[in-house]
């Protein structure tokens, strides 16, 4: 009888680590304060019936992120969906680590995958005046600008920058250090408010005043 040939592979011939299959879309660019779905993953291996699998998520500051349910994402089981509020600018890191069980720990027995989510802020701040803006004034008088309030979807009020410029009828522009200026020429003055949040989003509001 001739010798029998078998096609059966042994675990010693296994050079392929576990595979990760995502059950939904992942990664990309998101807005600040979005609720991000961390979809569950399926992990499988050619030989090993049991595969260890963990997920860790770090926020842009390098700290382990916490889900909206209060779970710290440090070596958690990635076999279920989770939801994370993206409340910081920058990149969130999602790291998956898988490995075959000890019986199969020979070579090429692990597989890791990392992806990033970038969090942006594209919403501009707003400015609201607390009283009416004067539309006329007498030459050689002092103009006092109204108080205002700024708001932003992320930045605190004291983190929003406001610069005020005044352009006189001759087209000369200067920036104010306070909230008042003298009008020394007859004609139209332009007062512009430049409002910036921490992400660099800006709003420009211009007002006009006739000086006689």
């Amino acid at each position: 009888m001739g010798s029998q040939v078998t096609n059966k592979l042994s675990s010693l011939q296994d050079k392929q680590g576990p595979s990760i299959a995502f059950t939904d879309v992942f990664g990309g660019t998101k807005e600040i304060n979005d609720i991000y779905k961390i979809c569950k993953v399926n992990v499988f291996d050619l030989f090993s019936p049991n595969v260890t699998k963990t997920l860790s998520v770090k926020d842009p500051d390098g700290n382990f992120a916490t889900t909206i349910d209060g779970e710290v994402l440090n070596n958690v089981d990635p076999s279920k969906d989770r939801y994370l509020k993206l409340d910081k600018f920058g990149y969130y890191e999602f790291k998956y680590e898988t490995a075959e069980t000890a019986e199969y720990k020979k070579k090429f027995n692990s597989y890791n995958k990392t992806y990033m989510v970038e969090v942006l802020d594209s919403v501009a701040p707003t400015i609201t005046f607390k009283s009416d803006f004067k539309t006329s004034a007498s030459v050689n008088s002092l103009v006092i600008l109204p108080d205002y309030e700024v708001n932003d979807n992320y930045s605190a009020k004291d983190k929003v920058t406001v610069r005020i410029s005044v352009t006189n009828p001759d087209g000369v522009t200067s920036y104010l250090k306070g909230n008042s200026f003298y009008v020394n020429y007859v004609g139209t003055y332009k007062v512009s408010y430049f409002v910036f949040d921490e992400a660099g989003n800006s709003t420009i509001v211009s007002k006009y005043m006739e000086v006689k």
Side-chain angles (χ1 to χ4, degrees):
M1 285 181 67
S3 60
Q4 185 175 4
V5 178
T6 179
N7 291 323
K8 185 176 181 181
L9 296 175
S10 71
S11 63
L12 291 174
Q13 296 171 284
D14 179 13
K15 296 183 179 181
Q16 179 65 47
S19 298
I20 296 176
F22 289 85
T23 59
D24 206 341
V25 294
F26 62 94
T29 301
K30 304 297 179 183
E31 290 286 337
I32 190 71
N33 292 324
D34 276 355
I35 301 298
Y36 177 71
K37 177 184 177 181
I38 308 173
C39 68
K40 67 180 181 181
V41 299
N42 296 321
V43 179
F44 53 91
D45 186 78
L46 179 62
F47 285 103
S48 179
N50 298 307
V51 178
T52 62
K53 50 190 181 294
T54 61
L55 164 65
S56 296
V57 181
K58 289 190 175 180
D59 66 22
D61 294 332
N63 302 314
F64 289 110
T66 302
T67 67
I68 60 175
D69 295 322
E71 180 184 18
V72 178
L73 297 175
N74 180 17
N75 291 326
V76 299
D77 185 348
S79 300
K80 70 174 185 178
D81 293 336
R82 292 176 170 85
Y83 295 88
L84 174 66
K85 184 176 182 179
L86 304 174
D87 57 2
K88 295 181 180 179
F89 294 119
Y91 289 90
Y92 283 75
E93 179 188 78
F94 298 75
K95 185 175 183 179
Y96 296 81
E97 296 181 296
T98 68
E100 297 171 348
T101 54
E103 178 184 355
Y104 294 91
K105 285 186 178 178
K106 310 295 184 182
K107 191 177 182 181
F108 302 107
N109 67 321
S110 65
Y111 175 72
N112 300 331
K113 180 176 180 59
T114 299
Y115 73 84
M116 313 295 283
V117 170
E118 183 180 11
V119 178
L120 303 174
D121 177 13
S122 61
V123 179
T126 61
I127 182 170
T128 304
F129 297 98
K130 295 184 177 181
S131 59
D132 293 337
F133 191 93
K134 291 182 62 175
T135 58
S136 63
S138 299
V139 68
N140 296 323
S141 66
L142 176 67
V143 173
I144 299 176
L145 299 175
D147 293 333
Y148 58 81
E149 182 178 24
V150 294
N151 286 285
D152 189 67
N153 67 317
Y154 178 81
S155 299
K157 294 180 188 297
D158 62 348
K159 298 296 184 181
V160 176
T161 302
V162 180
R163 297 194 69 189
I164 306 173
S165 71
V166 176
T167 303
N168 70 19
D170 290 338
V172 178
T173 299
S174 58
Y175 286 88
L176 301 183
K177 293 184 179 180
N179 68 335
S180 63
F181 62 97
Y182 281 96
V183 288
N184 300 317
Y185 301 90
V186 173
T188 302
Y189 280 75
K190 178 182 178 182
V191 181
S192 296
Y193 294 77
F194 301 86
V195 189
F196 302 90
D197 65 14
E198 292 175 287
N201 299 305
S202 63
T203 295
I204 303 175
V205 176
S206 295
K207 302 287 186 178
Y208 295 88
M209 179 183 300
E210 290 294 328
V211 176
K212 299 178 181 180

